[in-house]
Amino acid sequence: MKPAPFPDPERDRRVVTRRLLASGLFVLLGCALLAARYYQLQVIRHQDFATQSEANRVHVLPLPPSRGLIFDRNGELLADNRPGFTLSVVVERAGDLSGLLARLDRLVDLSDEELARFERLKGRRKPYEPVPLRVSLSEEERSRIAVEEYRLPGVEVTAELIRHYPHGPLLAHVVGYVGRINERELETLDPVRYSGTYVVGKTGLEKYYEDALMGEVGYEYVETNARGRVMRVLERIPPAAGRDLVLGLDLRLQEAAWEALGDARGALAMLDVRSGAVLALVSKPSFDPNPFVSGIDAASYRALLESPGRPLFHRAIQGQYPPGSTVKPAFALAALAEGAMGLDTAIYDPGYFTLPGSSRRYRDWRKGGHGWVDVHDAIVQSCDTYFYTAGVRLGIERLARWGRAFGLGEPTGIDLPGESAGIMPDRAWKRAAKGRPWYPGDTVNASIGQGYVLATPLQLAVMAARLARRGERLVPRLALRVGEEPLALPLLAGRIEAPEADWDAVLDAMVDVVHGPRGTAKGIAAGLSYTIAGKTGTAQVYSLGQEETYDERRVAQHRRDHALFIAFAPAERPEVALGLIVENGGHGSSAAAPVARRVLDRYMALYHGDGGASDAAAR
Amino acid sequence: MQRRAEYVRALKPPGAGLYRARRRRGLVVDLPLLALLAIACAAGLLVLLSASGHEWGYVRRQAVFMALGFAAMLAVAQVEVRTLRRFAPLVYVAGLVLLALVPWFGVEAKGARRWLDLGPLRFQPAELLKIANPLVVAAFLAARPLPPRWWEVLAAAGLLAVPAVLVGLQPDLGTAILIFAAGFFALFLAGLEKRYLAAAGLLALAAAPLFWFYLLHDYQRTRILTLLDPQRDKLGAGWNIIQSTTAIGSGGWFGKGWQRGTQSQLDFLPESHTDFIVAVLAEEFGLVGVLALIALYLLLVLRGLAIALGARSTFARLLAGSLALTFFVYVFVNLGMVAGILPVVGVPLPFFSYGGTALLTLFVGFGILMAVAGERKES
C-alpha cells in the first residue's frame, strides 16, 4: 500500500475549484441545449404544432339536414320525418368490444343481421366515428340502455329523424324509399355533403329528387377535450333543410285506383290532361317501404324478391306489355293523315287477313268478321282486319314514326328513375335487337299492338292524353313544386300534325267505344253522367297456333290475356286521361274498362260533384 | 485511521465550529438564493393554478408545502457544516434502513412500491438519499487527499451502489440513477481522474445491453423506444410525449396566455400538474416563459456553484457543489423528457410540479447550501 500523500489543502482546493468551474461550463452547455430544443419546438416547428393542437382541440361535427317532405296536391303528407333513436358504438371508447356487444345483446336483443351489419360498417369508417348498431330503438329499449349507461362505454343513443311513409304500400313505388348508403353509393356521393347523413333515396321520387330533398349539411365547430367530450360550441353553421316536394298526385284518386284494381296484378296511370300532372300511379301488388329505411332484414327482403307477384317491380313505369288494341286510335289517325285510308274508306272483314301472295291467315278477334267497316266502326268494334290492312298500307316505318309520336317505344320523361322505354319496332330495331330482317307479317302484328310492340301502362296514359290534347305531346310529371319553385306545366314536346277532320273521326269513335251501341266498352256506359272516350285492349300473352281457338276457361290463369284500357274524360273538354292494365285479366272490355270507370267516377265526384270536393285540378 | 485523523486536524480551519462564534452570527440566510427561490415558488404556484384546471385545493396544499419547505430550509441553514459532516454516516444508514423497509411496509402505487406510510405523511425514502448520498461521499472523500485513489473511488462507488440498487428494485430506475448521480457529483468534484471516468463510461456502455435485455422492465424499454419514435404507439406510450411536444410547440414565442393553453386545459396533456407541468408553462407563456424559467434555474445553480467555490472546507465545497449539480440534473432531466429528448422518467420539475416530499427535499438541499454560504461569510 502506498503511503498516504502529505495533506495539502491548497492542492485539494485547486482540484475542486477546477472541477467546479468545469461543472459550471457543463451547466451552461446543458441550459443552451435545453434552450435550443425549446426554440426548435416553439419557433421552428411552431406552425406544425399549432396546427396539431388546433386539430386536437377543434372538431367539426356535421349537422345533417332534415329531409324535404313530400305532399300530394292537397297537402296530404306522403313522406315525413319522425324522431327516432339510433344506438351506435364508438369502437375506440368501447374497450372490450365483444363484451360490450354481449351486454347490449342482453339489453336489446341484437339480431345476427344487426351484428353482421355492424361488423361490416365497423371496417370502413373514420376513427371515433360512431358505428350504428340499431337504427330504430324503442322507447323501452332506450330506457333500458339509459339505466345501464355507466356500464356501456362508447355506447351512444342519438336522436335523429327517421323517414316514414304513412301510406305504406299505396305509394311505395311512386314515392320510393330511402335506405342506408351502401358502398357503391359511397363512391359517388359527395362525402362532405353526406357527412352525418346515413341514408339516400334509393327508388322512386326519393331517388329522382334526391338532390332537392337532401338539403345542405351544416357544421358545428366544437371544442372537445381529450376524451372527446364537447366542451363548447365555437361556431355553428346550421344545416339547410331539404326542399319539400308537392306532387300533382291526388291521394284520394290514388286510393280509388288502388281499390278499383282490387287484388289483381296490374297498374294504372292517370294524368291531368291540362297540366300533365300525374293524378294517380298505382302498381299492384305493392310492399311496405318503411322497413327499408332502417335496413330490411334479409329474410323479408328475400320473400319480397321471390314473391310471384313481384311486388317490388313498378309495373306502371317498368312493366312492358303488348298494348294490343289500345294503339288503334293512334294508328287510325296515322292511316288517315298519311292517306293510307280515307274517312270513307271501307274494308270488308271476312274474319281474317292475308298478305298478298301468302295463305297465312291473320285472324280477327271476331270469328265471323265485322263485314264492311270504315274507320269509325273499326275503332268502335276494334276490328283487327281493318288495322292489318291499314298497317300494311302504311308500312312499318311510317307506323313506327306515328307510334313514337304518341309516346310508344320511348321513355315518357316522367320524373321517376328507371322508366322503361317499351318497344315500337321498325326495321332498324329488329336488325339490331333480333339480328333478323323485317318480315311483312311483323307489320301485320304490330298494326294491332301485338308482335314486338311493348308499352308501359304510363305510356298508355300518355298516349290517351296526347289523343285528348289532339296531338299536343304532353309529358307526364309527378312534382308540381320543388321547394318554393313551381314547375312550368304543362311540359309539351311538340305536336302531332293531322287534319282536324281526322282527329274528329278518331276521337268520336273513341267516345262511341263507350257510349255507342256496338262499342267494346259499352258495358261501362250505364249511368254515366259524363262522357268517356276510351279504347279497350286485350293483349295475348300466349300465342295460339294457326287453328287453335282461345278459350278463357281452358287457359291457365297466368297465361290468360292481359286486359287493357285507355280513356280520357270528359270527352268534350278533356281533363283527365288514363291507361291501365290488369295482368291476365282476360278482356279489356270486361276486366279493365270497369276499373277505369270507377276511378273516373271518383274523379268526377271529387272535382265536379256536389260534395264540395276540391276542384283544384279543374282550375 | 490514525493518519486520517491527523489529516483532518491539519485541514481544520482556524476558529471554525466554535460554539460562541456560531452564536454571534445570528440568522444564517443567503439572500440571493432566498430571492430566487421565492420567485420560483411564486411562478410555480401561478402555473400550477392553471395546470390543475383552476383547482385552488392543489395550490393551497402546494403553498403549505412551500411554507414548510422554507421553514425547513431556514432551520437546516442554521446547522453547522461540521455537524452535517458528523451526522452524514448516520443519515446515510438511516436512509438505507428506510429503503430496505419499503419492500415490506411500502405502499404500492402505479405498480411500484416507493412510499412509506408515516401516518399523515407519505414519505419516499429515496428522497432522503438524494441528500444523504452526496453527504456521505463528500464526508468520505474530504477526509482524504484529493484526488481519490482507486480504492477510495471503489469505496465511494460502493456507497452509492447500495441505495441505487435498492431504489432500482422498487422499481424506479429514474430515481436510482438520480441518487447515484447526486453522490457521483461529489466524486467528480473531488477530482475523480479522467481514466476512472473513461472506465466508468466504458463499463456503462458494456452493461447497456445487459440492462436492456435483463434488467429493464417492459415499460422501461417502451419508454426508451418511445423516445426514439413517439409515433409508434400514438394513443399509448407515445401519447404523453406527442401531447407534451404539441403543447410546447403550439406555444410559440409568447404562448397562448395564462390559463388559455388548450392542450392542458382540455386534458390532452397528461400529468399536467405534476411531471409535465413545464409543457403547460411553455404552452401558455411561450418560449419567452421557458427561457425565463431556464434562466431562473441557471441562476440558482450558478449561485450554488459560487457558494461551493467560496466555501472553506473541502467537505463543504464538495457537498455544496454536488447539491447544486444534482438540482441541475432534476431540471435538465425534466425539461429534457417533456421536450422529448430524454426518456420519460418520474422526475418532477423543481418548485413547479405538484408534490410535497420532493419539494421538502429541495428546500433541505438549499438549506444546506445556505449553511455553507453562512460559514463562508463568517470567515
Side-chain angles (χ1 to χ4, degrees):
Chain A
M1 198 169 173
K2 279 193 282 178
F6 189 74
D8 182 353
E10 271 316 302
R11 190 197 50 198
D12 289 0
R13 211 171 169 79
R14 269 201 317 276
V15 167
V16 179
T17 303
R18 235 187 356 249
R19 285 288 162 99
L20 280 171
L21 292 175
S23 306
L25 213 61
F26 281 127
V27 168
L28 282 174
L29 262 172
C31 286
L33 182 65
L34 287 176
R37 173 61 175 172
Y38 280 82
Y39 178 81
Q40 184 201 18
L41 291 178
Q42 299 194 272
V43 177
I44 298 172
R45 294 174 61 191
H46 169 63
Q47 212 42 259
D48 292 351
F49 286 119
T51 312
Q52 176 64 42
S53 139
E54 201 64 5
N56 258 349
R57 174 177 82 99
V58 179
H59 287 251
V60 183
L61 297 182
L63 302 172
S66 72
R67 199 170 171 87
L69 306 178
I70 303 178
F71 299 96
D72 90 336
R73 69 191 309 140
N74 300 312
E76 290 285 342
L77 208 47
L78 307 183
D80 67 349
N81 304 312
R82 294 193 169 177
F85 294 92
T86 297
L87 171 67
S88 41
V89 175
V90 178
V91 177
E92 278 80 359
R93 303 210 176 94
D96 169 24
L97 187 61
S98 54
L100 178 76
L101 290 178
R103 257 171 288 155
L104 281 173
D105 186 35
R106 277 197 297 279
L107 288 173
V108 300
D109 195 17
L110 298 166
S111 69
D112 292 345
E113 295 287 333
E114 286 169 322
L115 289 170
R117 190 182 59 200
F118 179 80
E119 284 302 317
R120 213 170 53 235
L121 293 172
K122 186 160 71 81
R124 41 179 179 81
R125 79 203 153 86
K126 291 166 257 175
Y128 287 94
E129 187 181 283
V131 184
L133 193 52
R134 172 168 298 176
V135 181
S136 47
L137 217 52
S138 75
E139 200 60 44
E140 196 201 323
E141 290 168 333
R142 208 179 126 228
S143 49
R144 249 182 280 161
I145 285 174
V147 169
E148 295 275 310
E149 196 164 14
Y150 68 101
R151 286 180 55 215
L152 305 168
V155 169
E156 290 183 358
V157 174
T158 45
E160 52 189 84
L161 291 172
I162 293 171
R163 197 65 152 174
H164 180 250
Y165 304 106
H167 298 287
L170 181 61
L171 287 147
H173 298 105
V174 177
V175 172
Y177 54 81
V178 298
R180 187 158 287 283
I181 296 169
N182 65 30
E183 257 149 297
R184 212 177 47 240
E185 288 158 341
L186 210 57
E187 284 162 22
T188 54
L189 293 175
D190 177 0
V192 174
R193 198 170 168 210
Y194 280 83
S195 53
T197 298
Y198 300 109
V199 296
V200 64
K202 298 276 189 181
T203 61
L205 290 166
E206 292 276 28
K207 182 176 185 178
Y208 192 89
Y209 286 105
E210 172 64 24
D211 194 52
L213 290 166
M214 167 64 196
E216 291 302 328
V217 67
Y219 291 99
E220 214 166 49
Y221 292 86
V222 295
E223 191 173 83
T224 56
N225 70 6
R227 284 171 299 281
R229 173 180 296 182
V230 174
M231 305 304 279
R232 66 195 167 112
V233 176
L234 302 173
E235 195 188 345
R236 190 170 193 278
I237 301 168
R243 282 179 279 168
D244 292 345
L245 219 55
V246 176
L247 306 187
L249 191 127
D250 188 327
L251 188 64
R252 299 165 302 179
L253 291 173
Q254 181 82 2
E255 279 165 349
W258 176 271
E259 282 157 21
L261 277 169
D263 295 331
R265 278 173 285 111
L268 180 146
M270 184 180 197
L271 306 178
D272 182 328
V273 168
R274 292 152 302 180
S275 66
V278 176
L279 290 167
L281 193 62
V282 174
S283 175
K284 286 187 100 170
S286 186
F287 62 98
D288 184 1
N290 287 305
F292 286 86
V293 176
S294 46
I296 190 166
D297 64 283
S300 311
Y301 186 58
R302 204 168 333 110
L304 282 175
L305 276 182
E306 288 169 2
S307 167
R310 299 175 70 201
L312 295 176
F313 182 54
H314 191 184
R315 290 175 161 73
I317 65 164
Q318 292 175 325
Q320 303 187 98
Y321 306 92
S325 304
T326 59
V327 299
K328 283 175 182 167
F331 286 177
L333 188 76
L336 295 175
E338 294 281 350
M341 293 284 184
L343 283 171
D344 306 322
T345 311
I347 293 289
Y348 183 77
D349 169 24
Y352 60 87
F353 173 81
T354 49
L355 282 164
S358 161
S359 61
R360 185 191 158 107
R361 289 181 171 186
Y362 295 88
R363 279 188 293 228
D364 194 284
W365 66 270
R366 180 181 287 177
K367 237 179 167 182
H370 297 272
W372 286 100
V373 290
D374 63 3
V375 66
H376 182 268
D377 301 331
I379 292 173
V380 172
Q381 299 173 32
S382 199
C383 172
D384 291 335
T385 305
Y386 180 91
F387 284 96
Y388 291 145
T389 312
V392 170
R393 285 187 190 174
L394 274 170
I396 189 59
E397 296 303 325
R398 283 196 287 182
L399 199 64
R401 205 171 63 238
W402 280 85
R404 280 193 284 270
F406 278 98
L408 297 175
E410 52 189 40
T412 63
I414 191 176
D415 40 353
L416 279 179
E419 187 190 8
S420 295
I423 297 168
M424 184 62 232
D426 59 14
R427 288 171 207 280
W429 173 85
K430 191 177 178 190
R431 231 183 346 267
K434 303 279 174 192
R436 269 177 292 169
W438 189 264
Y439 299 121
D442 294 334
T443 309
V444 177
N445 284 328
S447 57
I448 59 159
Q450 292 277 166
Y452 297 117
V453 186
L454 292 176
T456 67
L458 179 65
Q459 282 176 325
L460 298 183
V462 166
M463 185 165 66
R466 289 177 181 181
L467 286 164
R469 286 189 77 109
R470 288 177 169 255
E472 281 179 324
R473 301 183 68 222
L474 191 67
V475 174
R477 211 78 200 150
L478 274 162
L480 291 186
R481 212 148 50 84
V482 179
E484 293 309 309
E485 43 181 299
L487 299 173
L489 295 179
L491 286 171
L492 296 174
R495 65 175 294 132
I496 303 160
E497 295 296 344
E500 283 304 306
D502 297 349
W503 279 111
D504 290 340
V506 170
L507 299 183
D508 283 351
M510 283 181 76
V511 171
D512 281 348
V513 166
V514 177
H515 298 273
R518 304 189 68 183
T520 50
K522 64 175 189 288
I524 65 167
L528 265 183
S529 59
Y530 57 96
T531 20
I532 300 175
K535 181 70 195 79
T536 56
T538 304
Q540 279 180 14
V541 177
Y542 175 62
S543 299
L544 294 174
Q546 193 71 79
E547 297 306 322
E548 281 182 271
T549 47
Y550 176 82
D551 179 354
E552 202 170 284
R553 288 156 304 183
R554 254 188 44 218
V555 179
Q557 207 270 335
H558 69 277
R559 285 184 155 182
R560 262 193 235 158
D561 293 346
H562 294 325
L564 303 105
F565 193 65
I566 63 169
F568 60 85
E572 313 77 40
R573 273 184 57 233
E575 293 175 9
V576 293
L578 61 77
L580 76 97
I581 181 162
V582 178
E583 278 185 27
N584 311 116
H587 284 286
S589 53
S590 56
V595 174
R597 164 82 197 264
R598 287 171 65 185
V599 179
L600 290 172
D601 278 357
R602 180 83 175 126
Y603 171 81
M604 295 307 286
L606 288 172
Y607 290 88
H608 294 284
D610 305 333
S614 155
D615 61 351
R619 266 187 273 116
Chain B
M1 233 26 219
Q2 204 177 350
R3 220 179 285 146
R4 181 175 160 264
E6 279 168 32
Y7 184 75
V8 169
R9 264 195 299 281
L11 285 180
K12 202 167 197 177
L18 292 177
Y19 188 64
R20 275 195 304 139
R22 170 103 176 64
R23 276 265 286 264
R24 248 192 299 121
R25 67 182 180 174
L27 188 72
V28 173
V29 63
D30 186 65
L31 285 178
L33 273 186
L34 195 69
L36 289 170
L37 291 174
I39 294 173
C41 286
L45 289 177
L46 194 75
V47 176
L48 180 64
L49 182 60
S50 175
S52 63
H54 217 91
E55 284 253 11
W56 280 100
Y58 280 105
V59 177
R60 220 174 287 131
R61 277 194 296 270
Q62 182 84 336
V64 168
F65 273 117
M66 283 176 173
L68 286 175
F70 269 96
M73 174 174 74
L74 291 178
V76 172
Q78 310 315 314
V79 179
E80 272 186 278
V81 175
R82 63 168 191 177
T83 313
L84 290 173
R85 183 174 183 173
R86 194 176 307 136
F87 281 100
L90 192 67
V91 175
Y92 174 77
V93 171
L96 281 191
V97 170
L98 288 174
L99 256 189
L101 290 180
V102 167
W104 285 281
F105 303 100
V107 184
E108 198 167 312
K110 291 186 187 173
R113 242 177 237 279
R114 295 171 186 172
W115 301 80
L116 278 183
D117 209 335
L118 303 179
L121 210 70
R122 277 180 159 192
F123 173 74
Q124 274 201 57
E127 291 293 328
L128 188 58
L129 267 305
K130 287 179 183 171
I131 303 286
N133 260 358
L135 210 54
V136 77
V137 175
F140 174 71
L141 293 177
R144 292 165 178 81
L146 301 184
R149 285 166 293 171
W150 67 270
W151 67 270
E152 289 160 346
V153 172
L154 272 184
L159 284 174
L160 297 178
V162 176
V165 167
L166 285 175
V167 174
L169 289 175
Q170 285 181 353
D172 189 350
L173 194 61
T175 310
I177 290 171
L178 280 177
I179 62 172
F180 187 88
F184 180 80
F185 285 131
L187 203 54
F188 171 78
L189 291 174
L192 179 67
E193 285 169 62
K194 289 196 185 75
R195 53 197 170 111
Y196 294 124
L197 276 174
L202 281 178
L203 200 69
L205 218 62
L210 198 74
F211 256 76
W212 182 262
F213 291 111
Y214 297 107
L215 292 173
L216 287 189
H217 289 253
D218 277 343
Y219 79 94
Q220 291 166 327
R221 274 194 284 266
T222 310
R223 283 177 176 183
I224 292 169
L225 288 175
T226 304
L227 173 73
L228 300 176
D229 179 16
Q231 304 292 333
R232 62 191 285 277
D233 185 7
K234 277 187 178 183
L235 295 176
W239 173 267
N240 285 17
I241 215 65
I242 290 173
Q243 297 304 336
S244 71
T245 48
T246 303
I248 294 167
S250 63
W253 272 106
F254 300 104
K256 299 174 183 171
W258 186 53
Q259 297 197 343
R260 293 174 64 184
T262 52
Q263 285 287 107
S264 33
Q265 304 300 331
L266 296 170
D267 299 340
F268 285 98
L269 191 63
E271 308 283 339
S272 64
H273 66 287
T274 55
D275 289 357
F276 280 72
I277 197 166
V278 71
V280 178
L281 179 134
E283 188 186 20
E284 301 189 345
F285 299 97
L287 184 62
V288 172
V290 172
L291 292 180
L293 181 79
I294 293 175
L296 183 67
Y297 286 132
L298 184 60
L299 288 176
L300 277 169
V301 174
L302 291 182
R303 179 64 194 160
L305 289 178
I307 288 171
L309 272 176
R312 286 184 306 172
S313 71
T314 301
F315 168 71
R317 304 181 88 203
L318 293 182
L319 182 60
S322 48
L323 286 175
L325 290 178
T326 308
F327 177 75
F328 178 69
V329 167
Y330 297 155
V331 171
F332 185 81
V333 170
N334 182 277
L335 293 187
M337 86 182 184
V338 178
I341 50 174
L342 290 175
V344 175
V345 289
V347 176
L349 184 66
F351 307 114
F352 282 74
S353 292
Y354 176 77
T357 352
L359 207 53
L360 280 178
T361 315
L362 282 171
F363 277 111
V364 169
F366 279 98
I368 293 174
L369 278 173
M370 284 192 180
V372 172
E375 277 184 14
R376 179 191 54 172
K377 243 180 245 163
E378 206 182 343
S379 65

